[in-house]
Amino acid sequence: LAASRAPDLEPPEVRFRVPLYTRDLPAPLLAGQRVMVLAHLKPLEEVSNWGQRDVTGPRRRKAIVFSGGFDANRLAVLSQPSAAQRWLSQTREQLAAQVNRLAPSPDAAALYLTLAAGLRATLGEELEDAFARSGLAHILSVSGLHVGLLAALVLGLLRLCRAPAWLADAAAVAWLVFYAVLTGGGVPVV
């Protein structure tokens, strides 16, 4: 959850990300929807048991300094998803289903979806930590490299098919806009 207001913090208008947990499943929500929830936030703490897996470092690197829980029955949805948000969510779900069906393993599928489409939700913390420790975490971010490769692929295929240059250029731009939207429109992609 990307929080924009926390009345108990000073100042109350804040911006931070927080993983929230609940026993009950909340109503299906899409990225970009606004909700109001009464959450019980707890600052991240170092592990107290020797040998216990410490997730505070990776979370802090993602600017996550709290965790917490909430009652799903008290969740108030402030905005409904737009038709574009619903379409984008369905497209991402279909892409994930196809990749999971074709990939040799669930870990490989998660890595493919992260590298190609920026869908990091299924990428386990262990794999993310391994990339961070090796200094290669930047590879997991969809960036200009991905955009350049996609543009070269589309242009190359269309020119191989002898499409006029104006058509190849227009198709490449259309695919790049679609790709930017599909991957969440991050600054490196735009």
Side-chain angles (χ1 to χ4, degrees), residues 11-94:
E13 285 76 26
V14 294
R15 298 273 189 253
F16 63 91
R17 293 174 48 211
V18 59
L20 293 178
Y21 305 95
T22 184
R23 272 185 254 147
D24 305 315
L25 290 176
L29 298 171
L30 299 180
Q33 276 189 271
R34 294 182 52 83
V35 298
M36 184 168 43
V37 61
L38 178 62
H40 303 283
L41 299 180
K42 177 176 114 173
L44 288 183
E45 298 174 359
E46 302 292 330
V47 296
S48 57
N49 295 331
W50 184 84
Q52 181 181 355
R53 185 159 181 249
D54 185 9
V55 296
T56 55
R59 286 190 174 172
R60 283 197 174 111
R61 285 192 294 274
K62 294 178 187 177
I64 296 174
V65 294
F66 294 105
S67 66
F70 71 100
D71 180 1
N73 297 321
R74 297 183 69 189
L75 176 86
V77 177
L78 302 177
S79 68
Q80 294 302 316
S82 67
Q85 287 172 317
R86 286 192 300 273
W87 175 82
L88 186 57
S89 177
Q90 290 170 347
T91 302
R92 287 176 176 156
E93 287 172 12
Q94 291 170 352

Side-chain angles (χ1 to χ4, degrees), residues 43-188:
L44 288 183
E45 298 174 359
E46 302 292 330
V47 296
S48 57
N49 295 331
W50 184 84
Q52 181 181 355
R53 185 159 181 249
D54 185 9
V55 296
T56 55
R59 286 190 174 172
R60 283 197 174 111
R61 285 192 294 274
K62 294 178 187 177
I64 296 174
V65 294
F66 294 105
S67 66
F70 71 100
D71 180 1
N73 297 321
R74 297 183 69 189
L75 176 86
V77 177
L78 302 177
S79 68
Q80 294 302 316
S82 67
Q85 287 172 317
R86 286 192 300 273
W87 175 82
L88 186 57
S89 177
Q90 290 170 347
T91 302
R92 287 176 176 156
E93 287 172 12
Q94 291 170 352
L95 175 65
Q98 288 295 332
V99 169
N100 282 313
R101 187 176 62 80
L102 297 171
S105 72
D107 283 344
L111 191 57
Y112 297 159
L113 288 167
T114 299
L115 293 173
L119 302 176
R120 290 176 89 147
T122 58
L123 189 65
E125 283 190 24
E126 193 171 301
L127 194 53
E128 276 200 57
D129 290 347
F131 272 90
R133 282 191 307 276
S134 69
L136 297 172
H138 63 281
I139 291 175
L140 298 176
S141 297
V142 178
S143 64
L145 175 66
H146 297 83
V147 173
L149 289 172
L150 181 62
L153 178 69
V154 171
L155 286 171
L157 286 174
L158 289 173
R159 290 192 177 148
L160 186 65
C161 295
R162 301 194 187 277
W166 67 269
L167 180 62
D169 293 345
V173 168
W175 271 105
L176 294 178
V177 168
F178 171 74
Y179 185 69
V181 170
L182 179 72
T183 59
V187 173

